[in-house]
Amino acid sequence: MARLNNKIALITGAARGIGAAVATCFVEQGATVIITDKNTEAATQLCEKLGENAHFHLLDVSQESHWQQVEAFVKAQFGRLDILVNNAGITGFLEAAGPHDPEHLDLESWHTVQRTNSDGVALGCKYGIRLMKASAAASIVNISSRSGLVGIPAAAAYAASKAAVRNHSKSVALYCAQQNYPIRCNSVHPGAILTPMWDAMLGEGAAREAAIAGIAADIPLGHMGNASDVAYAVLYLASDESAYVTGIELNVDGGILAGSSAAPKSN
């Protein structure tokens, strides 16, 4: 039996990478999925690929007015929400001028990262809770990062924003339990997952292959992960199989955080 039968799910930043892998996995497992993103073209193409159980809605997670529009859409079309995956996130390397280190950070670049990664998750949880109170059993899964648990010298804003996601997830979990809402909340912490987010850091051709090999050398399992590795972790937390699990962080990092090594250069 499909693990998400009759579930209504919404995924942010779902046009590519981890978000697209989660959306694909959820549809395969029986869910109706609302794919949200700013990238209309890629998100629409994904919906067409996934079929009638995938629906697109434009969403800039940093804009509360966009969340209000999504809330109205979900209420009108489905009446409730069972699963929310707050996946949208940026490193800031491409989206902001920088620099991003603690000594020289550019404040507007810092705010650019926080607006998407931290504010976006806070708004997602706010409107998710409002939609999920009508569910019999609901789950919020917030995508943080390995960088939410360790420092990143050259990406201070990114690391801080992902740490905020981890902590806010616990606050949401406790709040929903306190209010007797049928809503659980957990965070997932990917590390060394080969997605388009890495492209700017890895380069192309032989240099890219060398960079990937260098990263893999520091991973206990010996290779970078892929988006489906994260999707299956999210699937567990989204499903009723994890009914007694709330407020945790689930690491999907090939064993990196099990030990210690030099300070990481990226997520």
Side-chain angles (χ1 to χ4, degrees):
M1 181 180 294
R3 297 163 71 182
L4 299 180
N5 271 348
N6 302 316
K7 297 284 190 180
I8 308 298
L10 187 150
I11 305 165
T12 70
R16 63 177 193 163
I18 289 171
V22 172
T24 301
C25 178
F26 279 14
V27 169
E28 290 173 349
Q29 292 297 325
T32 297
V33 178
I34 304 158
I35 291 170
T36 70
D37 206 291
K38 295 192 296 183
N39 188 335
T40 300
E41 182 178 0
T44 301
Q45 290 174 353
L46 179 61
C47 281
E48 292 173 351
K49 176 183 175 182
L50 295 180
E52 63 182 6
N53 286 330
H55 308 266
F56 170 66
H57 200 290
L58 178 69
L59 174 62
D60 178 343
V61 297
S62 69
Q63 301 298 314
E64 186 159 18
S65 61
H66 282 214
W67 278 106
Q68 291 166 345
Q69 292 166 15
V70 167
E71 179 186 31
F73 170 76
V74 174
K75 281 184 176 179
Q77 294 295 317
F78 307 106
R80 72 178 198 282
L81 189 66
D82 302 306
I83 301 165
L84 170 63
V85 181
N86 284 309
N87 167 73
I90 60 174
T91 62
F93 296 145
L94 296 178
E95 301 85 359
H100 295 276
D101 67 88
E103 181 180 3
H104 307 100
L105 68 84
D106 171 69
L107 187 59
E108 184 52 38
S109 296
W110 171 279
H111 288 318
T112 296
V113 174
Q114 301 297 333
R115 278 192 292 267
T116 294
N117 295 3
S118 181
D119 296 359
V121 168
L123 287 169
C125 291
K126 173 181 177 177
Y127 286 92
I129 291 170
R130 289 160 59 141
L131 290 164
M132 290 172 144
K133 288 189 287 186
S135 172
S139 173
I140 298 173
V141 183
N142 294 326
I143 306 300
S144 179
S145 169
R146 174 175 64 113
S147 303
L149 298 165
V150 297
I152 309 292
Y158 180 77
S161 70
K162 290 301 187 177
V165 170
R166 172 183 180 267
N167 194 270
H168 191 63
S169 299
K170 296 178 184 297
S171 295
V172 171
L174 294 175
Y175 173 81
C176 289
Q178 184 183 66
Q179 299 299 316
N180 291 317
Y181 293 157
I183 306 167
R184 298 177 294 106
C185 183
N186 298 285
S187 60
V188 172
H189 296 252
I193 305 298
L194 191 55
T195 67
M197 185 177 281
W198 282 80
D199 288 347
M201 296 172 278
L202 294 176
E204 299 178 354
R208 176 184 176 88
E209 295 306 314
I212 291 173
I215 293 166
D218 290 331
I219 300 171
L221 289 185
H223 62 89
M224 294 185 75
N226 58 56
S228 65
D229 294 319
V230 183
Y232 284 116
V234 175
L235 173 61
Y236 166 68
L237 292 175
S239 75
D240 293 338
E241 297 161 11
S242 57
Y244 198 56
V245 178
T246 195
I248 72 159
E249 62 261 11
L250 176 57
N251 301 331
V252 185
D253 67 353
I256 296 170
L257 287 168
S260 61
S261 61
K265 296 180 177 62
S266 57
N267 75 324

